[in-house]
Amino acid sequence: MKEIIYLDTNLVNSLLAQKNAGLVTKLVNENSESDSNAEGGFDQTATSVSGGVSTLIKAGANHSAIANENYNIVFSRSNRNLIETALDDYSLDLLLQELEGNKLLKTSDFQDGDFVFAVGKLDFFDFEQLKNVFTFDEVEDILPEYDEFKKLQSKYKREKNNTRKEQLKSKISHNGWNNLESIRSMSAYFERLFPSSNLAKVSNTISVLPKEFMKVPTAQLGLMQLSGRQIKILGICSSTFDEQTPSDLSMMANSMEVLKKAPTAILTIMLDSFGLVSSGDYLIRPIAIYYEG
């Protein structure tokens, strides 16, 4: 059984459509049952009043007041079960069978355009969550020694003497809270680079995951990373990180080269700075990420 973490249903259906000359047909069976119960009743109450018109003319008159109550109670229950015989995860199984049957899956030495299948430990990054976690404005009063760190920062900004300023800078850089604030800044920047997306690393592959195709809440997935289980990824190889950190940025002098390569170069530098990629890693367009037991 698969425990699916991420599934790009659009890409799965697109690939199946190309292989099978059409989309997988979804058969829907509908079961409907209805129970009803009705009760009816009628209650009547009569009241009589006698009286005379005058002392000369005596007559008897009766007035009846009738109170009627009708009630009808109907209880109905409808239970509809929609059963789809070709669910998204079943479509994934069909795609895997198709790729394996045609020997299109590769597990190493990927080339651009290859169907990639890799197994390894999951490292998952939700930069929006990271940015929020490392924003301490609401809880700074209860964090140990955080107020002292803020005082150091404030003192550094006010200090005019270069020697003392360097000393304060050194103290700040060696403070653990400074590392956490660096992570917050990095997360805010990555959130702009990968809007509405997460990042995942499995083995020597790294993938950008649009949040719309995530099948597990971020908070839960963060805890699942603590497990020792191996996770599987199916995707398409987009490119290879041939150079861990670009050393020659002379191409920045050419405006056309800047437009084409600068975003990728800056992105690679950022990913490398935080140890997220290494030379020889592969950028993968993910199709599915899942545990299998």
Side-chain angles (χ1 to χ4, degrees):
M1 298 292 289
K2 292 180 177 62
E3 184 178 358
I4 298 176
I5 304 302
Y6 172 91
L7 182 62
D8 187 337
T9 52
N10 292 342
L11 186 52
V12 169
N13 286 331
S14 174
L15 293 169
L16 284 175
Q18 295 175 58
K19 292 291 182 181
N20 297 302
L23 291 174
V24 177
T25 301
K26 285 189 174 183
L27 303 177
V28 180
N29 298 324
E30 179 180 309
N31 296 331
S32 178
E33 69 176 288
S34 178
D35 293 339
S36 64
N37 180 39
E39 288 185 56
F42 178 81
D43 291 337
Q44 175 175 304
T45 303
T47 303
S48 296
V49 178
S50 298
V53 177
S54 69
T55 57
L56 297 176
I57 302 175
K58 292 184 178 180
N62 290 324
H63 169 69
S64 295
I66 299 176
N68 295 327
E69 182 181 359
N70 287 300
Y71 57 91
N72 191 44
I73 302 173
V74 177
F75 169 72
S76 65
R77 183 183 65 198
S78 180
N79 182 23
R80 297 163 57 108
N81 299 317
L82 299 180
I83 305 170
E84 297 186 356
T85 59
L87 299 172
D88 292 335
D89 50 355
Y90 177 61
S91 297
L92 173 60
D93 286 338
L94 291 180
L95 179 60
L96 283 168
Q97 292 172 17
E98 187 77 33
L99 295 174
E100 289 172 348
N102 289 282
K103 302 187 184 320
L104 294 176
L105 282 183
K106 295 188 65 176
T107 57
S108 62
D109 299 323
F110 309 127
Q111 302 295 321
D112 294 355
D114 285 346
F115 284 100
V116 172
F117 186 79
V119 181
K121 179 181 176 295
L122 172 66
D123 291 316
F124 173 80
F125 307 93
D126 182 327
F127 296 110
E128 180 183 8
Q129 183 195 43
L130 280 172
K131 182 189 70 175
N132 293 332
V133 165
F134 292 111
T135 300
F136 308 119
D137 297 341
E138 296 87 352
V139 295
E140 60 182 28
D141 293 338
I142 64 173
L143 298 175
E145 300 181 3
Y146 185 69
D147 56 340
E148 295 298 323
F149 171 69
K150 298 296 287 184
K151 288 177 183 178
L152 274 177
Q153 285 185 318
S154 179
K155 191 174 181 180
Y156 172 78
K157 292 176 181 177
R158 297 194 307 268
E159 184 60 61
K160 304 298 182 183
N161 183 281
N162 289 335
T163 301
R164 288 195 293 270
K165 197 174 183 73
E166 285 300 316
Q167 292 173 345
L168 289 170
K169 183 178 180 180
S170 178
K171 284 185 178 180
I172 290 173
S173 65
H174 288 87
N175 191 298
W177 289 111
N178 187 62
N179 293 334
L180 298 182
E181 290 216 336
S182 296
I183 292 175
R184 178 179 60 183
S185 299
M186 178 272 290
S187 300
Y189 185 73
F190 271 122
E191 187 184 16
R192 295 196 298 272
L193 288 177
F194 304 110
S196 301
S197 300
N198 300 321
L199 208 65
K201 185 165 188 183
V202 179
S203 185
N204 60 344
T205 72
I206 191 163
S207 306
V208 179
L209 314 178
K211 290 185 176 182
E212 62 180 305
F213 297 123
M214 296 297 301
K215 301 300 181 183
V216 177
T218 294
Q220 182 177 349
L221 186 54
L223 295 174
M224 291 173 71
Q225 291 184 96
L226 303 177
S227 168
R229 289 192 296 170
Q230 300 282 288
I231 202 165
K232 298 179 178 180
I233 181 171
L234 171 68
I236 301 172
C237 182
S238 296
S239 61
T240 306
F241 291 95
D242 295 321
E243 189 176 1
Q244 188 170 356
T245 301
S247 57
D248 182 11
L249 298 181
S250 59
M251 57 88 178
M252 297 294 185
N254 185 309
S255 59
M256 183 59 69
E257 290 299 308
V258 170
L259 289 174
K260 290 193 300 183
K261 298 181 180 178
T264 303
I266 297 299
L267 175 60
T268 303
I269 291 172
M270 289 292 297
L271 291 172
D272 171 58
S273 297
F274 289 90
L276 298 180
V277 296
S278 302
S279 181
D281 283 352
Y282 299 95
L283 177 63
I284 301 300
R285 182 185 180 187
I287 298 174
I289 301 176
Y290 59 92
Y291 291 105
E292 191 164 33

